Amino acid sequence: MPTSPHNLFDTAWIPVRWADAAPLPHPERVGFRDLLVRCGDISALVIADAPAHSALLRILYALTARMTMLDEAKEGPDEWADRRLDILEAGRLPPEGIDAYIARFHHRFFLFDPEGGRPWMQDSRLVEQCDADKTAGVNKLIVTRPAGNTHAWFRHGSDAHPDLPSTADAVLNLLVWHYYGPSGRCSAREVNGTKTASTTAGPLRTALSYHPEGNTLFETLLAGLVPPDQEVQRESDQCPWEWDELPDPDGPLPVPSGPCSRLTACSQHALLLVADPGNPEMVRDAYITWAYRTGRIPRNDDYLIWQISQQGNPYPRPADSRRALWRDLDALLLHNPPGTAQPKRPHVFEYASDVSGDLRVRALGFEQEGQAKDTQFVDAGTPPVLGLAERRAPKAAPMVGRLRQLGELYGRRLERAVRRAWAEYMNDPKTNGDTWVAEAASRYWPAAETEFWDRFRRLDPTGRQPDAGLDQAAARTAFLRLAADVYDMVTDSITRTQRGAKAVSNARIELYGGVRKKPASPQRT
């Protein structure tokens, strides 16, 4: 039995926000046990780093499914949905399910295992398979820190003398590496006499994931579950801490067989944390390397918008810190949202609205390049929206898509207008006008978002009003007015010259769709 005191069921490491009516005590952090027992008293997780929040939610979905027996649906999705509603009416996760699961797997949730056993979500074999003098280090582990020759933006640090992270921070960043870790060069790992130092990107790298969010964490966890296929069996659909043995890094990739393995067992990275001997609350070092020598575990995630590339390949909608969440809303509410990319909404939203029509949406991700570059976290939320999901409001949901299309239409026209005005003013059709485009976007999109949500809140979910109460002409006029106002502000500096005023006047027509081409006259014979 490990001697480490850091068992993640018992150690307080997850930051939470308590509901106003929650009985005392209200600790700032809780372990897995208290979080699951008291999830009805917790309003939300309060994790600052969006990819860590996204990763931890997937772990919690898997634990919730196991402890509620919603990890199987042998009688089909309807019977599964009825069992979930029974748990929802009970107002808490079943205590007997929580106790039974913890009793069975408590020994697999130790953060450190000095006896060389099975530390949680880690591979203790790395001590022997990696060079102890060439570890990744804690600056590499903590994704917000500069490591190696990387520029320091927000803090200075030294790989030789790093500030040691707390165990709580180390666990959250451990999860970020499992889900969002980069591809390319890593620490060398020797297996079966062959040393290699190359890894594949994590399963969520570059992607934006979407999660239904309730008034309590209890609602959030239940809404985040998806019914398994009828043939799924919990004995084969295992989480990494449930494996009898760690997989062979040289062997075939473990293909997920159900929701729990898809949620937790798709990592391409192997990690091992090293405790600080002088302070058990700190992590001194970290091994980070590849988990499987070849191949990639198939990505099939229920919380991503999947779309089709021009080459016909499916890929998840990427995280973009410049793109507001309302622009994805119809892709979350509609079965077949419009768009040339043929977006397919996250599978979880097929079932989430059964928990509550007042669910919000939380988008979490990491704007990244596929290999190494990390740009910015993405964390955005909506007001309650799932009451307008197509399944619940079939006449209102398409109007959400129409409203979004109008907002984006005038955003695109505004971009074309300012580019044309700049090109005509500069008398250079090759100039791009990016500076004006960026300024126009920074002014238009926040205003368009406010306009969108204002009209969204007036939509009628009952279907009694035509077009769900959306006045499409008025909405069109409102977005056009916003675009025109921004156009005037951005181009104002050049209107004091004749050439500038003429360029601005000529380009304004792009806000109205540009010059319409006349149909070709039929040729006379």
Side-chain angles (χ1 to χ4, degrees):
M1 177 64 67
T3 59
S4 167
H6 288 287
N7 188 284
L8 298 178
F9 277 124
D10 308 320
T11 299
W13 64 280
I14 305 171
V16 297
R17 181 171 63 248
W18 295 92
D20 293 339
L24 295 173
H26 294 169
E28 292 184 359
R29 297 175 181 266
V30 295
F32 276 136
R33 184 197 304 268
D34 285 345
L35 182 143
L36 294 164
V37 169
R38 300 191 63 189
C39 59
D41 297 326
I42 296 171
S43 61
L45 305 176
V46 286
I47 298 173
D49 297 350
H53 191 169
S54 167
L56 182 57
L57 277 174
R58 286 170 167 81
I59 300 292
L60 293 174
Y61 294 148
L63 290 174
T64 300
R66 282 283 191 260
M67 295 173 179
T68 58
M69 308 297 282
L70 292 172
D71 54 348
E72 291 184 342
K74 294 181 178 180
E75 303 300 322
D78 291 340
E79 185 273 340
W80 179 93
D82 289 340
R83 286 191 284 125
R84 182 171 68 165
L85 287 177
D86 290 341
I87 296 169
L88 181 66
E89 291 177 2
R92 62 176 182 172
L93 301 182
E96 64 280 4
I98 297 174
D99 291 342
Y101 191 84
I102 293 177
R104 182 179 179 187
F105 290 107
H106 187 271
H107 65 293
R108 293 283 176 82
F109 279 75
F110 283 96
L111 183 59
F112 306 116
D113 191 342
E115 298 178 6
R118 293 281 296 278
W120 187 73
M121 296 293 282
Q122 299 166 70
D123 192 334
S124 59
R125 298 173 296 184
L126 301 188
V127 171
E128 302 296 332
Q129 296 173 349
C130 295
D131 187 343
D133 294 327
K134 297 181 179 179
T135 58
V138 294
N139 283 347
K140 188 74 170 179
L141 172 70
I142 307 301
V143 296
T144 54
R145 292 186 183 183
N149 294 323
T150 306
H151 288 292
W153 293 103
F154 301 109
R155 56 172 293 163
H156 293 280
S158 166
D159 286 343
H161 302 285
D163 294 334
L164 301 186
S166 67
T167 53
D169 288 340
V171 177
L172 291 173
N173 282 271
L174 170 80
L175 294 178
V176 173
W177 271 93
H178 276 307
Y179 288 89
Y180 294 88
S183 62
R185 294 286 298 178
C186 62
S187 296
R189 181 182 187 182
E190 183 175 348
V191 178
N192 297 331
T194 302
K195 181 181 290 188
T196 50
S198 180
T199 187
T200 304
L204 296 182
R205 188 164 184 86
T206 76
L208 187 63
S209 66
Y210 304 84
H211 302 267
E213 191 172 64
N215 292 323
T216 65
L217 184 60
F218 171 68
E219 287 186 355
T220 297
L221 295 180
L222 287 182
L225 300 185
V226 175
D229 294 334
Q230 287 184 255
E231 63 270 18
V232 169
Q233 299 181 4
R234 63 177 61 95
E235 290 79 12
S236 57
D237 177 31
Q238 292 188 326
C239 302
W241 55 86
E242 297 171 342
W243 294 334
D244 291 334
E245 301 289 341
L246 292 174
D248 181 3
D250 258 346
L253 296 173
V255 178
S257 62
C260 289
S261 52
R262 284 200 301 270
L263 285 165
T264 62
C266 293
S267 176
Q268 301 286 157
H269 292 78
L271 295 95
L272 182 65
L273 305 181
V274 180
D276 180 39
N279 186 348
E281 301 299 324
M282 298 293 179
V283 171
R284 177 176 59 85
D285 203 353
Y287 295 83
I288 303 174
T289 187
W290 53 270
Y292 305 102
R293 197 185 298 278
T294 59
R296 176 171 183 162
I297 299 172
R299 289 208 293 185
N300 184 15
D301 192 278
D302 292 327
Y303 307 87
L304 308 181
I305 293 177
W306 291 91
Q307 46 197 29
I308 304 299
S309 69
Q310 293 181 349
Q311 293 74 33
N313 301 315
Y315 68 100
R317 181 166 291 181
D320 184 348
S321 58
R322 298 164 297 179
R323 181 182 174 90
L325 180 54
W326 67 271
R327 298 172 66 185
D328 294 336
L329 194 57
D330 57 329
L332 303 176
L333 301 181
L334 299 176
H335 285 286
N336 295 299
T340 57
Q342 306 174 49
K344 181 180 179 182
R345 73 174 178 176
H347 190 48
V348 67
F349 289 102
E350 296 282 342
Y351 309 95
S353 60
D354 291 343
V355 171
S356 172
D358 294 329
L359 294 174
R360 305 176 298 276
V361 175
R362 175 66 55 184
L364 301 165
F366 202 168
E367 184 177 345
Q368 304 169 293
E369 290 182 351
Q371 186 166 6
K373 183 180 178 181
D374 296 333
T375 301
Q376 187 169 326
F377 297 151
V378 178
D379 187 340
T382 72
V385 297
L386 291 190
L388 285 173
E390 189 169 14
R391 185 175 173 184
R392 297 174 64 100
K395 294 183 178 180
M399 292 301 102
V400 177
R402 182 58 181 152
L403 190 57
R404 189 272 304 170
Q405 287 176 313
L406 288 171
E408 292 205 328
L409 171 66
Y410 287 99
R412 292 193 300 270
R413 288 183 176 181
L414 173 63
E415 179 179 341
R416 288 200 301 269
V418 296
R419 284 193 189 279
R420 177 177 168 181
W422 179 258
E424 290 195 16
Y425 176 66
M426 297 298 293
N427 195 24
D428 182 2
K430 295 183 179 180
T431 187
N432 56 35
D434 283 348
T435 301
W436 271 11
V437 169
E439 182 182 354
S442 69
R443 293 177 182 274
Y444 174 78
W445 290 114
E449 180 175 12
T450 300
E451 185 69 32
F452 174 89
W453 287 120
D454 182 56
R455 294 184 180 275
F456 175 88
R457 293 185 183 95
R458 302 181 217 165
L459 294 178
D460 172 29
T462 66
R464 289 191 287 265
Q465 297 185 50
D467 292 343
L470 175 64
D471 186 335
Q472 296 191 51
R476 181 186 296 273
T477 299
F479 285 117
L480 172 58
R481 184 180 64 251
L482 291 177
D485 290 345
V486 171
Y487 180 76
D488 290 340
M489 286 187 283
V490 171
T491 61
D492 178 69
S493 61
I494 66 169
T495 58
R496 294 165 181 81
T497 67
Q498 184 176 7
R499 187 176 71 176
K502 182 178 180 181
V504 171
S505 178
N506 289 343
R508 185 181 297 276
I509 196 171
E510 298 294 342
L511 298 175
Y512 302 88
V515 177
R516 298 186 183 278
K517 296 181 180 179
K518 295 181 179 180
S521 301
Q523 295 182 353
R524 295 181 180 180
T525 57

